[in-house]
Amino acid sequence: MTAAAPRTETRTMTMVAAINDALDLALAADPTVHIFGEDVGVMGGVFRATDGLQARYGAERVFDTPLAEAGIVGMGIGMGLAGLKPVAEIQFAGFLYPALDQVLSHLGRYRHRTRSRYHLPMVVRAPYGGGVHTPEQHADSPEAILAHTPGVKVVIPSTPSDAKGLLLSAINDPDPVFFFEAIKLYRSVKEDVQTGDYRIPLGKARVVTEGNDVTVICYGGMVEVAQKAAAAAQSAGIGVEVIDLRTLVPLDTETILESVQKTGRAVVVTEAPRTGGFHSEISAIIAEEAIEYLHAPVVRVTGFDAPYPPFTAIEDVYRPNAVRVARAIRQVMEY
């Protein structure tokens, strides 16, 4: 008689709850893990991602910092080199810019600088992206800047389960990881999430829906947008394969190319500005590695080359939606 597989226990969580759970598990399992940033201690973070953690683990391991992003990242670099596992929070990804000197000049360079004698296990978490009508610089998508920085990894989950498993992997990675969390998804999505510790490997994309006609490549807050467009296309008889990258660095080019070689058409969706975005890198990879399979040029659906609009309904025009993605799907199908 074959023994039954062990039952995996789950609990329904939002993305922000799954992130909190991952941080809780990391703190409990490893005394070298420290969490810090603006308002992450007493307040529990502006989105409550660190809620209750200071009370549970003390102010020496979960603590507030001044409003000084360069200081937050710089301190984390020192902590990582000293043998700790710092998990810093930048309150919004658009606030990261004052820290770019630390990121570009130091954070990603230590393994190379010391010829691998030192590594720097640091995570920088930040909410990013639009969809909730925030003020200026609260909805930026600067992931391309970081993906262009050698030595750092970039992770952007789209579901509560992925957020938890990827964050635990990031905290235990020997190199610095930027972990961007879509503000729009923090509480708008719930699902059953495995309890306890589990890891999702960095650099492995997820096939969200399968299809044979068009590949739609996306990540983070754009995955639910792509799914809505795919459902509309399916009702018109078009099979759309949606690929959630999960991580930009390392990038799962194998899954991208396998899908594009099957469908012969590709649409890339991000909410970042159009010029120089990571969507352009994906388009270039497809052109270099799979152009002979293409039935139509790659189409990008992106934000615009303008600052993200604060507060107003103009955001609904700036941020890609299912209608724009569906239009791009029709464009590659009719080429």
Side-chain angles (χ1 to χ4, degrees):
M1 181 177 180
T2 305
R7 182 180 177 182
T8 301
E9 294 188 2
T10 62
R11 181 159 56 91
T12 302
M13 298 184 194
T14 61
M15 180 178 283
V16 76
I19 290 166
N20 181 274
D21 192 34
L23 295 172
D24 190 1
L25 288 166
L27 286 162
D30 188 344
T32 68
V33 173
H34 290 66
I35 296 172
F36 53 93
E38 298 164 10
D39 297 323
V40 304
V42 175
M43 182 177 171
V46 68
F47 292 104
R48 303 301 185 266
T50 55
D51 190 35
L53 298 182
Q54 186 181 83
R56 200 167 299 134
Y57 297 99
E60 290 187 357
R61 295 187 64 200
V62 182
F63 55 91
D64 295 318
T65 67
L67 306 183
E69 286 77 16
I72 292 169
V73 176
M75 180 175 66
I77 291 171
M79 293 170 68
L81 292 173
L84 301 176
K85 291 182 179 178
V87 181
E89 178 181 305
I90 300 297
Q91 199 166 74
F92 292 88
F95 296 178
L96 180 66
Y97 307 132
L100 285 180
D101 180 31
Q102 294 290 343
V103 174
L104 301 176
S105 300
H106 301 292
L107 181 61
R109 294 177 180 266
Y110 270 97
R111 183 182 287 278
H112 177 78
R113 184 176 286 167
T114 65
R115 303 300 184 263
S116 291
R117 290 193 296 272
Y118 287 90
H119 58 87
L120 215 170
M122 179 180 181
V123 173
V124 181
R125 294 181 42 251
Y128 91 102
V132 293
H133 300 287
T134 55
E136 186 179 5
Q137 285 189 258
H138 290 62
D140 288 15
S141 298
E143 62 270 18
I145 299 172
L146 303 170
H148 190 67
T149 303
V152 303
K153 299 176 181 178
V154 182
V155 179
I156 309 182
S158 68
T159 69
S161 293
D162 277 6
K164 179 179 176 179
L166 289 167
L167 182 53
L168 286 168
S169 292
I171 293 171
N172 289 281
D173 195 275
D175 294 307
V177 179
F178 280 90
F179 195 91
F180 279 6
E181 303 153 8
I183 299 172
K184 175 71 163 56
L185 301 180
Y186 266 149
R187 289 182 171 82
S188 64
V189 177
K190 290 184 178 181
E191 67 177 3
D192 290 339
V193 178
Q194 182 179 329
T195 59
D197 191 320
Y198 66 90
R199 315 285 172 87
I200 295 174
L202 306 188
K204 183 60 180 175
R206 177 174 68 102
V207 179
V208 181
T209 61
E210 295 187 359
N212 293 315
D213 297 318
V214 182
T215 299
V216 176
I217 303 158
C218 50
Y219 52 84
M222 290 293 98
V223 174
E224 66 169 4
V225 172
Q227 286 179 276
K228 291 176 182 177
Q234 184 65 46
S235 66
I238 302 171
V240 179
E241 185 147 289
V242 176
I243 305 294
D244 174 7
L245 294 180
R246 286 174 162 167
T247 64
L248 308 190
V249 182
L251 180 65
D252 185 358
T253 56
E254 181 179 352
T255 295
I256 294 171
L257 294 174
E258 283 182 357
S259 180
V260 172
Q261 288 169 7
K262 176 177 69 173
T263 64
R265 303 173 183 88
V267 173
V268 189
V269 186
T270 79
E271 55 189 296
R274 186 172 183 83
T275 300
F278 198 77
H279 41 262
S280 299
E281 176 67 18
I282 297 168
S283 301
I285 290 171
I286 294 170
E288 289 176 348
E289 303 292 337
I291 194 168
E292 67 270 28
Y293 295 90
L294 293 179
H295 304 311
V298 178
V299 172
R300 296 171 292 166
V301 182
T302 71
F304 296 89
D305 291 335
Y308 201 99
F311 292 121
T312 68
I314 298 173
E315 175 183 29
D316 298 330
V317 177
Y318 183 99
R319 187 174 188 262
N321 55 35
V323 173
R324 287 176 60 192
V325 177
R327 188 182 301 130
I329 291 170
R330 289 197 302 272
Q331 180 180 340
V332 297
M333 286 298 299
E334 294 172 358
Y335 181 81

